[in-house]
């Protein structure tokens, strides 16, 4: 075995990719972050540790129990055997996790404070661990730093000159995050979809049934992504994005979807839908086709132009 | 960066001095989370580092790297005189920046190491995971054995750790090689 001067302070806090653990050294606290194949070490000298703050965190057992309940409900509702067993297994796993979570005690968030940093100690994730951790590390730190009553510490800290950054002090330049390309992807997709929706509404139910749902899904997904990432965008870009997203939501219910859907439903409602029924032409009015194609093309051109001008203004 | 006061670990807002007692059951006034705070004397000490002293007379020893500064201590490794600006206290030794760099590169001081590769875990992964696809063991089984021999004496974790992963990896790799030999022999015999 490797000779080591370290004593274990906490159990392993495991994640999907590795674990982290706290160890007690002769004059420092060692935090090990392991990715299984490589271990990374962080050391905090006892002389530098100013404070350790532990805050009790939220409980996840409620969410795990909720997931278990939903899965149990699904397992009752689903008709086929595989589905019943699948949802029952998930519900059981969620229930076991909830019980395990309760048994391990309340969670916590521990921060170790030095003069220049506040470091989150991930291995200290439960109150029980935090108590035993503090019980061992406090005497070790006090051996190096000595022990002073808290009232005296507060009074001394108030008198000690602090190196604080005045508001007038020159600050380092702010790092601006580059603009993402998700809005451009959305508007490019809308341009492409304007051609596809024209093809779908001027062809058979088979083509429309294959094409339209895929289009709607892609537009919705990228629209959500673009809206989520739009915080760094200008107000004009955000306004165009919101308008485009509203059109994406309305279109399947009012324009292209409304034109194609009744025909598809009629084909499904036939006792034995044959190939001929699927090959029927969609009877969408010219106005519907014009509007479904038009809003996509208009939004795409406007959006791409706005994005281009925004990038030019930012000098990207 | 200088932190102002003791911060709540849940909301990162300053905690009043009344909560520094280290007693459980108190709540952060901002987020109401139950907090347990331990404050140590380092918090009250001055955060200003000591500045190097300028030379007062020509006869005084000066820093090797800063001729205008008075030397305060020699480097434990190279013996050069250092001012307080150049002094680095590492693992009970006083080093100059050049010797510190040399130690860092040569991994001479364990307390300076920030990462280590776990060769035993790599060997074990190399022995186990390719076996799921069967054919890669033709390459990975001998490679595992090579890895074990190559890194048998390489520095392992700085924490307590045995060589058990190396033993398991070697055992699995030998079994895989045995399996390959049996399969090849079987094919050879069947063809004859």
């Amino acid at each position: 075995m490797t000779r080591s001067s370290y004593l274990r302070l906490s159990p392993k806090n495991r994640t999907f990719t590795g674990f982290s653990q706290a160890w007690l050294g002769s004059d420092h606290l060692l935090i090990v972050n392991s990715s299984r194949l490589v271990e990374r070490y962080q050391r905090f000298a006892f002389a530098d540790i100013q404070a350790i703050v532990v805050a009790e965190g939220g409980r996840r057992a409620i969410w795990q129990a909720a997931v278990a309940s939903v899965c149990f409900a699904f397992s009752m509702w689903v008709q086929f055997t595989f589905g019943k067993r699948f949802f029952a297994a998930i519900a059981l796993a969620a229930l076991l996790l909830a019980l395990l979570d309760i048994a391990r005690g309340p969670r916590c968030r521990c921060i170790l404070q030095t003069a220049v940093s506040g470091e989150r100690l991930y291995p200290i994730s439960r109150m029980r661990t935090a108590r035993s951790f503090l019980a061992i590390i406090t005497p070790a730190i006090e051996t190096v730093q000595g022990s002073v009553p808290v009232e005296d510490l507060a009074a001394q800290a108030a008198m000690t000159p602090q190196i604080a950054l005045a508001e007038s002090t020159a600050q380092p330049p702010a790092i601006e995050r580059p603009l993402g390309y998700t809005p451009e992807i959305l508007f490019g997709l809308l341009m492409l979809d304007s051609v596809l929706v024209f093809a779908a509404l001027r062809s058979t139910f088979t083509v429309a049934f294959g094409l339209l749902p895929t289009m709607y899904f892609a537009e919705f997904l990228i629209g959500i992504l673009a809206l989520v990432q739009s915080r760094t965008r200008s107000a004009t870009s955000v306004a165009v994005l919101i308008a485009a997203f509203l059109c994406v939501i309305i279109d399947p219910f009012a324009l292209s979807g409304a034109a194609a859907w009744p025909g598809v439903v009629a084909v499904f409602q036939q006792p034995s839908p044959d190939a001929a029924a699927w090959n029927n032409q969609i009877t969408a009015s010219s106005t519907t086709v014009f509007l479904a194609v038009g809003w996509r093309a208009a939004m795409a051109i406007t959006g791409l132009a706005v994005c281009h001008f925004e990038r030019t203004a930012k000098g990207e | 960066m200088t932190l102002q006061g003791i911060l709540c670990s849940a909301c990162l807002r300053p905690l009043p001095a009344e909560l520094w007692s280290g007693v459980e059951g108190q709540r952060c006034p901002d987020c109401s989370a139950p907090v347990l705070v331990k404050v140590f004397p380092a918090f009250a000490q001055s955060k200003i580092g000591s500045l190097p002293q300028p030379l007062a007379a020509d006869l005084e020893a000066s820093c090797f790297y800063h001729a205008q500064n008075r030397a305060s201590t020699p480097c434990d490794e190279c013996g050069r005189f250092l001012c307080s600006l150049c002094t680095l206290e590492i693992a009970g030794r006083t080093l100059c920046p050049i010797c510190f760099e040399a130690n860092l590169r040569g991994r001479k001081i364990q307390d300076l190491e920030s990462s280590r590769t776990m060769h035993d875990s790599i060997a074990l992964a190399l022995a186990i995971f390719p076996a799921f696809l069967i054919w890669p063991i033709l390459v990975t089984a001998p490679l595992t054995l090579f890895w074990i021999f190559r890194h048998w004496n390489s520095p392992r974790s700085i924490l307590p750790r045995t060589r058990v992963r190396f033993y398991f990896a070697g055992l699995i790799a030998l079994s895989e090689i045995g399996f390959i030999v049996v399969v090849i022999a079987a094919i050879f015999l069947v063809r004859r």
Side-chain angles (χ1 to χ4, degrees), chain A residues 131-208:
Chain A
R131 283 185 207 107
S132 61
F133 168 75
L134 284 172
I136 299 171
I137 203 157
T138 306
I141 295 171
E142 283 176 352
T143 308
V144 175
Q145 295 190 19
S147 182
V148 179
V150 176
E151 298 77 33
D152 296 356
L153 274 178
Q156 280 180 35
M159 288 192 301
T160 306
Q162 304 271 324
I163 304 170
L165 291 174
E167 293 210 354
S168 58
T169 310
Q171 298 288 315
I175 299 167
E176 278 193 21
R177 294 178 72 181
L179 295 172
Y181 283 93
T182 326
E184 276 95 333
I185 293 170
L186 176 70
F187 296 128
L189 182 76
L190 288 179
M191 183 69 92
L192 175 72
D193 284 356
S194 64
V195 179
L196 293 179
V197 82
F198 179 80
L201 294 180
R202 287 278 175 240
S203 61
T204 60
F205 286 118
T206 318
V207 175

Side-chain angles (χ1 to χ4, degrees), chain B residues 32-96:
Chain B
S32 303
V35 286
L36 174 56
V37 187
K38 281 273 179 192
V39 184
F40 301 102
F43 178 69
Q45 285 160 13
S46 172
K47 295 170 178 76
I48 300 167
S50 62
L51 292 169
Q53 299 295 311
L55 279 178
D58 287 347
L59 290 174
E60 280 186 331
S62 66
C63 168
F64 181 84
Y65 300 102
H66 302 97
Q68 72 281 11
N69 291 347
R70 185 192 292 169
S72 61
T73 182
C75 172
D76 283 348
E77 203 126 298
C78 64
R80 285 169 179 157
F81 285 2
L82 308 170
C83 63
S84 60
L85 206 63
C86 303
T87 307
L88 295 164
E89 300 283 350
I90 309 287
R93 298 171 73 202
T94 305
L95 297 177
C96 69

Side-chain angles (χ1 to χ4, degrees), chain A residues 2 4 32 37 39-41 43 50-52 54-56 109 113 116-117 131 145-146 150 157 160 162-163, chain B residues 1-3 5 7 9 24 34-36 38 40-42 44 47 110-111 113-116 118 157-158 161:
Chain A
T2 315
S4 172
V32 181
L37 304 183
E39 281 183 356
R40 295 187 191 286
Y41 309 115
R43 295 175 181 83
Q50 290 190 337
I52 297 171
V54 181
E56 202 174 311
R109 194 182 160 95
Q113 200 167 309
V116 292
S117 67
R131 283 185 207 107
Q145 295 190 19
V150 176
T160 306
Q162 304 271 324
I163 304 170
Chain B
M1 186 182 79
T2 301
L3 297 178
L7 308 179
S9 56
E24 245 185 282
V35 286
L36 174 56
K38 281 273 179 192
F40 301 102
K47 295 170 178 76
Q110 187 181 287
D111 281 1
E113 285 189 53
S114 60
S115 71
R116 274 194 186 178
M118 301 295 105
S157 172
I158 62 172
R161 192 174 171 101

